[in-house]
Amino acid sequence: MDIKISKSSMKEAGSLLKIQTEAFKEDLKKYKDYDSSPAAESLDFFKYRMENSLHYTIFVDGEMAGGICLVKVSDAHYYLFRIFLRPKYQNKGLGTKILLKIEKQFPRVRKWSLDTPRDNERNRHVYEKFGYKKTGELKVNEILTLIKYEKKIKRQPP
């Protein structure tokens, strides 16, 4: 599968939001976090986030497959706010390939952080396999607790 990641454009917002909603709808049902779930986000807020973060569109074999939202904490620290794929592209090993591409796209970043639901073993396995270490937890509601992760990247010698 050919993966391409490019800066999102506002004309993609509606399609990306539809993919995001589809990708997170089961989590919304499970966690009932209607205030913060990506599946309950409005188009206006999605566009606001696109304008105020680094937002990328993921294409797989030429088809719009998902998106990535990064927040620049500092020149050397980025927060992976969200990554999402159409359900048909999930569980196919694309997550690791996408994370590698993102890291290569930002070679000056030395610390990456993210969070994911505590009971989402699949996500946690991918992130931990990719070098992320647990740094804490955040209780969102009675059902949802997020695990906070960080990955530190050492500079390569010249």
Side-chain angles (χ1 to χ4, degrees):
M1 285 191 212
D2 178 50
I3 300 168
K4 181 181 170 206
I5 299 171
S6 59
K7 188 90 172 111
S8 299
S9 71
M10 277 300 155
K11 67 182 179 185
E12 296 172 325
S15 298
L16 285 168
L17 178 59
K18 184 177 178 186
I19 294 169
Q20 176 179 284
T21 301
E22 185 181 2
F24 288 100
K25 72 179 177 184
E26 293 305 315
D27 284 351
L28 178 61
K29 288 179 191 174
K30 181 177 183 177
Y31 301 122
K32 302 181 186 336
D33 58 328
Y34 299 101
D35 293 330
S36 62
S37 173
E41 204 166 85
S42 71
L43 182 58
D44 285 342
F45 188 72
F46 189 88
K47 288 180 177 179
Y48 171 82
R49 217 172 11 81
M50 284 178 72
E51 290 172 343
N52 293 283
S53 66
L54 302 168
H55 207 283
Y56 296 88
T57 303
I58 302 166
F59 294 92
V60 176
D61 295 332
E63 179 186 3
M64 186 184 292
I68 302 167
C69 179
L70 303 174
V71 175
K72 182 178 176 180
V73 178
S74 72
D75 286 343
H77 178 195
Y78 278 38
Y79 172 65
L80 177 57
F81 180 73
R82 185 166 297 145
I83 183 169
F84 57 94
L85 287 168
R86 288 182 190 274
K88 77 178 196 177
Y89 291 114
Q90 295 174 9
N91 302 311
K92 297 190 182 306
L94 296 176
T96 301
K97 292 175 185 174
I98 291 165
L99 290 171
L100 280 169
K101 283 183 173 281
I102 287 295
E103 280 188 9
K104 285 181 183 173
Q105 195 163 337
F106 296 96
R108 290 191 172 103
V109 175
R110 297 291 160 237
K111 182 165 88 171
W112 291 91
S113 56
L114 59 86
D115 53 56
T116 195
R118 180 172 56 194
D119 65 346
N120 190 322
E121 297 294 331
R122 185 189 63 201
N123 281 4
R124 291 181 59 199
H125 174 76
V126 169
Y127 294 133
E128 289 169 9
K129 185 175 113 182
F130 201 65
Y132 282 83
K133 306 290 183 207
K134 180 181 172 181
T135 60
E137 294 188 7
L138 173 67
K139 187 173 183 173
V140 176
N141 62 31
E142 292 302 316
I143 304 168
L144 175 60
T145 298
L146 298 174
I147 300 288
K148 294 175 171 256
Y149 282 101
E150 278 186 2
K151 179 180 181 179
K152 294 184 178 171
I153 299 173
K154 294 181 171 90
R155 291 187 190 270
Q156 297 296 324

